[in-house]
Amino acid sequence: MKHVDGLIESSRSALMDWAVQVADEFQALGPLMTRLATPEVGLAALRLAGLILAVLVIHEALRRLTRRRQDTVIERTAAKHSGAQPVRGLHTMGVVLLRGALTLGLAAAVGVLISFAVFPDAGAGGAIATAFLRAFVTVHLIRLALEIFLQPEHVTARPLPLESARALHWQRHIMGVVQVGAYGILLIAPAIQMAAEGIGQLVAGLVVLAVALSLLRMVRALRGAVRQWLAASAKAKQGGVLRPILGVLAPLWHWLAGLYVLIISALAIAAPSSVVNEVLLASLLSIALGLGAGFLGHWLSVLSRARIPIPARFGHRFAMLQVRLRTWLPRLLAVGHLLLGLAVIGGLLEIWGLADVGQWLASDTGQALAGALTGVISILLLALAAWLFSVSWIEDRLNPETGHGAPGAREKTLLSLFRNAIAIAIITLAGMVALSEIGMNIGPLIAGAGVLGLAIGFGAQKLVQDIITGVFIQLEDAIHKEDFITAAGISGTVERLSIRSLGLRDLSGTLHIVPFSSVDTVSNYTRDFGYHLAEYGVAYRENIGEVVEHLNVAYERLCADEDISGEVTGPLEVDGVTALADSAVNVRVRIRTTPGMQWAVGRAYNRIVKEVFDEVGIEIPFPHMTLYFGEDKQGVAPPAHIALEDKTNQET
């Protein structure tokens, strides 16, 4: 309590002393002006006015000269990248920043040279010139930052959700406050303090009050708009730390901003200059850090929603690359947001002296953690890039429109298997290297994996046999998808093919999963070509020559059938009589067909053979039995006794 009373008493005493000093300086103002009304002071004032006028004119002239070039470059980039809004926005910001930095740097350099020329002795005039240049650079740096973030003339590059008219209004309004504050505190007040310290402090205090009132009015005017923007931003966040923070900050931000303005204003008026300078520097650095983080966060969000520009020839060859990039890019940018948030928190702690982040990062622990984090992120990025490259290359090989032609069925099957194998290999290697980067000894892990693999090999011999047999079957190009095969006694179409098993769909629609270890022989009916092989039986009384002739007639009709003729690839091969069967003489024929179409060709040829034989009267006998009663030595057959039975009489 005594300490507080002493502080109040000392503050009251200091305020009274300052008030007396100001009163005395006002009383001595007349004689002071008389002493200053000398030719030397007038000449110095003219030189200072010339310096100020020259710097302002040169800066404005440079801005006007570079304005047309800036607009030309921006329009050219907009026409070249009409569909890539993030690229155009970032390019516009870069051009505006480069132009502003060059014009400001040239004007400031000219001002320094003029200052050295007109004030070589570095007296009071040189000090005031230096103060003007400091205030000039401060004002136009803030103006450049406003042009970057508000962009009143380029809506595509504006990070803040404002209309062009509103952006221009707030840029002019903020620049008015900045000019009053910067020139008043950095130029006018120090110049007055050289002659009258108390009056200079009074002017500085009045400028601080004017700036504080203007800032409070701005906070009040923006209260509703910023609250809605923060609430909408919080609602748009699906999760993470920012959503609750923005939700709490939305209704309270204007109170916090107003309190901050009042505290800074009070410190600027009452606190020592060293404290004020430290607080102002920390505030400016915090604002710059927040604006920079907000700028990066905004464009990271824009990039996560944008379509990645890929050249047309690459987009045609790698059709799925755009989809995969749009899937993975938001995840990568979410990691970027997290790292950016951690960097902002660390920067704020360092700026306000709450934690020595720089010293911690320079320590062994900090360097180890930073190195491990950088290594893990780099490894994951390289793994993702390798996976995207390998998958895109495989899809390029499988794409029949890329100039390589349609891949074969074997290549399709092997590339599909390799795609999964490459993904597993990349995940395994990246995981191992990432674990080693964070300090884990992966030697025992590798050894344990080897022992585990050996144990699995002994305990799962059937699985190992499945895989080994499957690998060799694929290398021997025995089975493709959509082939009709017989394997393990099951016939069907290959619907699914992996490195361990295959799926066969039979004619009844049943899907059979056949492990490769149970496959001894593979009969592939759809490889290269097929044959319709059939035997046609005719009666014993038919002439075989006529039969062969009419089989050729049937083949000619088959070749004339537009629906099936394209599947016939070879002539009719008549092997001749293959058997003298019980009821018929069998004649075998063979017709070469496209792979898998032998059954369709056979059905069509059977139908045509039946029609031709019917037309010419060639009998296709059905199975029958001839009863033979035998003969005696004289060649006389015994009589056949036939008994007829009248069922009607029996019933009567």
Side-chain angles (χ1 to χ4, degrees):
M1 190 66 180
K2 292 181 179 180
H3 180 70
V4 175
D5 293 339
L7 181 61
I8 294 175
E9 181 62 27
S10 62
S11 300
R12 187 182 66 81
S13 177
L15 182 61
M16 292 300 296
D17 293 340
W18 175 73
V20 172
Q21 182 184 5
V22 171
D24 294 340
E25 289 176 353
F26 269 112
Q27 290 178 359
L29 192 58
L32 178 63
M33 298 300 295
T34 302
R35 290 196 305 270
L36 293 176
T38 60
E40 292 80 5
V41 175
L43 181 60
L46 288 176
R47 291 175 179 175
L48 183 62
L51 168 66
I52 294 173
L53 182 62
V55 171
L56 295 177
V57 169
I58 290 173
H59 183 255
E60 187 62 27
L62 290 174
R63 284 179 56 85
R64 290 180 181 272
L65 287 175
T66 56
R67 177 64 177 271
R68 181 175 299 176
R69 179 60 179 171
Q70 169 189 293
D71 294 341
T72 302
V73 173
I74 292 174
E75 291 175 359
R76 187 179 301 167
T77 304
K80 185 177 180 180
H81 302 282
S82 58
Q85 191 271 336
V87 175
R88 289 187 289 119
L90 290 174
H91 180 268
T92 300
M93 286 188 170
V95 172
V96 172
L97 179 62
L98 180 62
R99 174 208 175 208
L102 287 176
T103 55
L104 178 59
L106 290 174
V110 172
V112 171
L113 294 177
I114 296 175
S115 175
F116 287 153
V118 299
F119 299 109
D121 55 353
I128 296 175
T130 302
F132 163 72
L133 292 176
R134 187 183 301 116
F136 171 78
V137 172
T138 301
V139 167
H140 288 282
L141 282 177
I142 297 175
R143 179 177 183 176
L144 183 57
L146 288 175
E147 287 182 351
I148 294 297
F149 281 91
L150 291 179
Q151 287 290 340
E153 299 175 358
H154 304 285
V155 64
T156 58
R158 188 179 305 141
L160 299 177
L162 291 174
E163 298 177 356
S164 297
R166 297 284 292 175
L168 182 60
H169 166 75
W170 284 112
Q171 183 190 25
R172 292 175 177 175
H173 192 67
I174 295 173
M175 283 306 303
V177 177
V178 169
Q179 288 173 351
V180 171
Y183 286 116
I185 296 174
L186 299 178
L187 176 61
I188 298 175
I192 295 175
Q193 284 179 355
M194 292 181 182
E197 184 178 358
I199 296 177
Q201 292 177 354
L202 177 62
V203 171
L206 293 176
V207 172
V208 169
L209 288 177
V211 171
L213 291 175
S214 298
L215 292 176
L216 291 175
R217 290 180 59 189
M218 290 173 56
V219 170
R220 185 174 182 274
L222 292 172
R223 177 181 56 187
V226 175
R227 181 175 64 246
Q228 293 177 1
W229 178 57
L230 291 175
S233 300
K235 187 177 181 181
K237 302 293 182 183
Q238 299 297 327
V241 182
L242 285 179
R243 182 168 186 172
I245 293 177
L246 293 176
V248 173
L249 190 61
L252 300 176
W253 82 270
H254 55 286
W255 294 105
L256 298 176
L259 181 62
Y260 178 78
V261 170
L262 293 176
I263 293 174
I264 295 297
S265 302
L267 289 175
I269 294 174
S273 59
S274 59
V275 176
V276 175
N277 291 335
E278 290 181 3
V279 173
L280 287 178
L281 179 61
S283 300
L284 290 176
L285 291 176
S286 300
I287 293 173
L289 181 62
L291 290 177
F295 172 80
L296 291 177
H298 167 76
W299 286 108
L300 287 177
S301 300
V302 171
L303 288 174
S304 66
R305 298 189 300 268
R307 181 181 179 88
I308 307 301
I310 298 178
R313 59 192 185 95
F314 288 105
H316 176 68
R317 291 186 60 180
F318 310 118
M320 292 299 296
L321 182 59
Q322 181 71 252
V323 177
R324 290 193 174 92
L325 287 177
R326 296 191 67 179
T327 301
W328 282 100
L329 188 61
R331 301 175 184 176
L332 296 177
L333 295 179
V335 176
H337 276 289
L338 178 60
L339 296 177
L340 182 62
L342 294 176
V344 169
I345 294 174
L348 291 176
L349 293 176
E350 179 72 23
I351 289 171
W352 291 98
L354 300 176
D356 196 349
V357 180
Q359 184 178 359
W360 180 80
L361 287 176
S363 65
D364 294 338
T365 304
Q367 289 184 354
L369 181 60
L373 183 62
T374 303
V376 169
I377 293 176
S378 301
I379 291 167
L380 295 179
L381 289 177
L382 288 175
L384 178 60
W387 182 76
L388 290 176
F389 172 78
S390 60
V391 172
S392 300
W393 178 81
I394 290 174
E395 290 178 348
D396 177 46
R397 298 289 301 176
L398 294 176
N399 188 358
E401 300 178 359
T402 58
H404 300 287
R410 180 189 185 190
E411 188 176 9
K412 287 183 180 179
T413 304
L414 291 177
L415 289 176
S416 300
L417 294 176
F418 288 161
R419 177 164 49 193
N420 298 330
I422 290 172
I424 295 173
I426 290 175
I427 292 173
T428 303
L429 292 176
M432 290 291 185
V433 178
L435 290 176
S436 67
E437 283 293 325
I438 63 177
M440 182 178 292
N441 186 7
I442 63 173
L445 185 61
I446 295 175
V451 173
L452 181 62
L454 187 61
I456 292 176
F458 282 114
Q461 297 183 24
K462 202 69 172 178
L463 177 62
V464 174
Q465 185 180 356
D466 289 340
I467 295 174
I468 293 176
T469 306
V471 169
F472 281 102
I473 285 178
Q474 296 306 320
L475 292 177
E476 291 172 359
D477 195 21
I479 304 173
H480 298 160
K481 284 186 177 181
E482 306 301 328
D483 284 353
F484 190 88
I485 68 170
T486 297
I490 301 173
S491 298
T493 302
V494 179
E495 189 172 286
R496 186 180 63 82
L497 187 63
S498 68
I499 202 169
R500 193 198 70 84
S501 64
L502 60 90
L504 295 179
R505 180 83 65 177
D506 64 16
L507 295 178
S508 65
T510 304
L511 179 64
H512 303 271
I513 305 299
V514 181
F516 280 122
S517 60
S518 63
V519 177
D520 296 328
T521 303
V522 176
S523 302
N524 196 324
Y525 300 97
T526 54
R527 182 62 55 86
D528 299 331
F529 57 87
Y531 276 103
H532 164 60
L533 181 65
E535 292 184 350
Y536 297 98
V538 297
Y540 272 87
R541 61 182 175 83
E542 302 295 343
N543 186 294
I544 299 302
E546 293 181 359
V547 170
V548 172
E549 179 183 350
H550 287 92
L551 286 174
N552 281 285
V553 171
Y555 174 76
E556 293 174 358
R557 291 189 185 181
L558 177 70
C559 294
D561 188 348
E562 296 180 356
D563 295 335
I564 202 66
S565 59
E567 310 301 337
V568 179
T569 61
L572 177 68
E573 300 177 13
V574 181
D575 295 335
V577 177
T578 59
L580 298 174
D582 292 340
S583 303
V585 177
N586 294 333
V587 180
R588 186 171 69 190
V589 301
R590 193 170 72 156
I591 302 174
R592 182 167 174 166
T593 69
T594 56
M597 294 303 295
Q598 55 265 40
W599 298 286
V601 171
R603 289 189 294 269
Y605 188 65
N606 290 338
R607 174 180 57 82
I608 296 174
V609 167
K610 175 66 168 61
E611 294 174 352
V612 170
F613 281 7
D614 288 346
E615 291 174 1
V616 298
I618 295 177
E619 180 185 357
I620 302 177
F622 50 85
H624 58 275
M625 182 179 294
T626 301
L627 296 178
Y628 176 61
F629 294 96
E631 295 180 351
D632 55 15
K633 291 183 178 182
Q634 288 75 28
V636 178
H641 301 282
I642 300 174
L644 299 179
E645 185 175 343
D646 189 353
K647 294 184 178 181
T648 304
N649 295 334
Q650 289 180 356
E651 291 177 358
T652 304

